[in-house]
Amino acid sequence: MSNNRGRGLQANVLGTFDTVVMAVAGSAPAYSLAATTAVLVGAVGLASPAALLYCAIPMLGIALAFSYLSRIDVNAGASYSWVGRTLHPFLGFISGWALVISATIFMVAGSLPAGSMTLALFDAKLADNTALSTVVGAAWFLVMLGVVLGGARLTVRAQLLMSGVELGILALFAVLAVFHTDNARAFDWSWLGFSHFDGMGGFASGALLAAFYYWGWDVTSNLSEETRNSRRTTGLAGLIGVGIVFLLFEVFTIAVNVILTSKQIEENDANVLAVLGEEIWPGWGGKLLIVSVMLSTIATLETTLIQVTRSLFAMGRDRTMPTALGRVHRTWNTPWVAIVVVGGVALAMFIASNALGSVGEILSDAISAIGLQIAVYYGLAGLAVVVAYRKMLLKSPANFLLGGLWPLFGAVFMFWIFVESLGELSVAAIAIGIGGLAVGLVPMLWYWRQGSDYYRPAKLDATRTVEAEYVADGAGVPSRPHEGLPTDF
């Protein structure tokens, strides 16, 4: 066991509303739309709303899996702990590693747009300067690193401010888009059907990109040790978050199809949203949507930092990675070593990414690579819930559908898009995606040989888990170190 046993993360800091905000911010609606719409339109054309619709159904299945699993095992490592204790510790480690790698790649993919959006507010030409965008993006990244280091309360306050403004701007433009009359095309219901996909391969590559749009709501599970009533709250917040961002994604992708020409989308691949804003509200629209994208990007850098540092913290605590990563700061109750390490690695990657080319090129490969890794750890979580609840699935129709069939469908879908899209992706995207996962075999085998307790888990079984008592939001609860089943410390 780790020598940090007495020092846990700060319990009971986040309430239900805070957690829902974190789930929405994790999916980063404005950022996802700005950075990924051109890539999605490039892959599936007018079928973008359909890709997002058909990915939302299995994604809700995965959100249900997270919801059911968080009821029986509260752990900052989330799928790393659950998959390890149901399927196999090796798969659990790969699940945690997939999150760590995808989140680290995202630090670069996300910081570049944060930099270019900030510059675009002053001068559109400056936004195309990759070196300058990297410097400004790195500065924002360091600010968020400081906020995450300062503890969960500070993190949530910053998040409420950024996401509040972002969602307010998006809601305003969603309404304005409905009343916009100067359109490139008329709305067509076929955009929500299968007719525009280029075969199964085209559908799979669209679904992989759509998975990236939604990714991030599961930050609520990584915050479970710091959330009140986390057995109920974290899963519910994830489901609400997926629902909210689904509506925003559909409204805006349909608006892009209706209002923008193919040429406009192609020419503005790194920021489709600003062009859309300019069309809807000339003069002010572009600037306002740039502000929402900038805030969204900075907000999601924060939630991604939380996901990767809490996962590394759980791994350090379990001694499946260096134990220093499990150290918690005495004042701020945050895993400071993990935060510093992630910051150093991400900054090194910023500098390296400058050698790779334009913002648009870097984004395209990084997003596809992250999609592969997301599919792996979401898919494994979908299987884990079925195994953990296997003895209870036939006790009620709700258990069977919500805790078994739907998550299983989500898992099968995730693995299917992983395999199917390999034939469609660039060599660089596959190398980053699969290579990143393969690197994880080194620490996994090393710490397995060292005899970490994580590799001898107490199996997770829903029939043997006692639900925790409910505590109303706002009620004072004494902070306590994390406690749970045998491998939870």
Side-chain angles (χ1 to χ4, degrees):
M1 294 220 175
S2 150
N3 57 0
N4 310 304
R5 183 171 176 176
R7 281 223 69 77
L9 301 167
Q10 192 172 3
N12 308 311
V13 178
L14 310 181
T16 308
F17 179 71
D18 303 329
T19 320
V20 171
V21 170
M22 293 304 266
V24 174
S27 289
Y31 164 79
S32 299
L33 286 160
T36 326
T37 300
V39 187
L40 186 61
V41 170
V44 297
L46 292 172
S48 340
L52 288 162
L53 170 64
Y54 297 120
C55 195
I57 300 164
M59 191 57 80
L60 274 170
I62 302 301
L64 283 164
F66 272 71
S67 172
Y68 272 76
L69 286 164
S70 60
R71 290 181 199 176
I72 58 173
D73 182 16
V74 175
N75 192 298
S79 62
Y80 153 79
S81 171
W82 305 330
V83 173
R85 295 180 54 189
T86 49
L87 306 178
H88 193 277
F90 284 0
L91 290 173
F93 184 87
I94 288 297
S95 186
W97 184 257
L99 170 57
V100 168
I101 292 293
S102 54
T104 309
I105 295 170
F106 177 77
M107 305 292 177
V108 181
S111 296
L112 277 169
S116 60
M117 291 298 150
T118 310
L119 293 168
L121 287 175
F122 303 102
D123 181 357
K125 290 189 184 69
L126 283 177
D128 293 331
N129 184 328
T130 309
L132 202 54
S133 295
T134 307
V135 172
V136 178
W140 275 123
F141 174 74
L142 288 170
V143 170
M144 284 304 109
L145 205 65
V147 170
V148 171
L149 193 57
R153 273 201 182 88
L154 177 63
T155 306
V156 164
R157 282 182 189 142
Q159 197 58 266
L160 287 170
L161 179 68
M162 294 185 292
S163 295
V165 176
E166 172 205 351
L167 291 172
I169 294 172
L170 285 179
L172 170 69
F173 275 87
V175 174
L176 291 175
V178 173
F179 296 106
H180 185 75
T181 50
D182 180 21
N183 297 333
R185 303 177 189 84
F187 171 73
D188 188 339
W189 283 105
S190 73
W191 297 343
L192 294 166
F194 282 97
S195 60
H196 291 282
F197 290 111
D198 181 20
M200 273 305 177
F203 175 70
S205 54
L208 192 73
L209 289 167
F212 176 78
Y213 271 82
Y214 290 109
W215 176 53
W217 53 266
D218 50 307
V219 65
T220 59
S221 299
N222 298 104
L223 283 166
S224 61
E225 292 181 33
E226 296 151 272
T227 306
R228 277 192 297 282
N229 307 311
S230 63
R231 289 173 190 271
R232 181 193 72 107
T233 306
T234 53
L236 178 67
L239 286 162
I240 294 171
V242 172
I244 292 171
V245 295
F246 165 69
L247 291 173
L248 285 169
F249 290 157
E250 284 298 335
V251 168
F252 277 91
T253 44
I254 289 171
V256 165
N257 273 2
V258 170
I259 295 167
L260 299 183
T261 63
S262 306
K263 189 167 180 242
Q264 281 174 305
I265 297 168
E266 209 172 302
E267 286 173 357
N268 298 281
D269 57 353
N271 190 12
V272 172
L273 224 48
V275 186
L276 183 69
E278 205 52 49
E279 285 285 330
I280 293 174
W281 186 358
W284 273 98
K287 282 270 192 285
L288 274 174
L289 276 178
I290 285 176
V291 169
S292 85
V293 175
M294 184 184 87
L295 288 171
S296 176
T297 313
I298 298 163
T300 198
L301 276 177
E302 185 192 84
T303 58
T304 312
L305 267 169
I306 285 173
Q307 284 198 282
V308 69
T309 54
R310 296 309 187 268
S311 296
L312 285 172
F313 162 75
M315 290 169 147
R317 183 173 62 186
D318 289 351
R319 293 188 306 125
T320 58
M321 290 282 275
T323 50
L325 294 169
R327 284 200 192 126
V328 173
H329 195 279
R330 293 205 165 277
T331 313
W332 299 321
N333 287 93
T334 49
W336 68 274
V337 179
I339 292 169
V340 170
V341 168
V342 168
V345 170
L347 287 172
M349 284 172 65
F350 290 157
I351 297 160
S353 71
N354 254 304
L356 297 176
S358 76
V359 177
E361 285 165 15
I362 294 169
L363 274 180
S364 177
D365 284 339
I367 288 166
S368 297
I370 291 171
L372 289 173
Q373 290 154 355
I374 297 165
V376 169
Y377 88 87
Y378 277 177
L380 288 170
L383 294 179
V385 73
V386 180
V387 175
Y389 278 84
R390 65 193 180 282
K391 294 174 187 165
M392 297 176 70
L393 291 180
L394 297 176
K395 295 209 168 152
S396 76
N399 270 8
F400 181 71
L401 176 66
L402 305 178
L405 197 61
W406 201 340
L408 182 64
F409 166 66
V412 170
F413 184 84
M414 290 296 156
F415 293 132
W416 175 76
I417 58 175
F418 177 89
V419 174
E420 195 70 28
S421 59
L422 286 177
E424 305 278 323
L425 295 178
S426 70
V427 176
I430 293 173
I432 299 168
I434 308 289
L437 288 174
V439 172
L441 298 176
V442 178
M444 181 179 87
L445 295 171
W446 172 259
Y447 285 98
W448 171 61
R449 291 293 300 271
Q450 299 288 313
S452 160
D453 288 345
Y454 173 81
Y455 293 107
R456 296 189 297 279
K459 285 290 185 191
L460 199 53
D461 183 346
T463 55
R464 290 206 306 268
T465 310
V466 183
E467 291 274 345
E469 74 284 7
Y470 175 73
V471 182
D473 271 6
V477 188
S479 179
R480 65 198 188 319
H482 181 49
E483 56 191 349
L485 292 158
T487 52
D488 295 345
F489 301 90

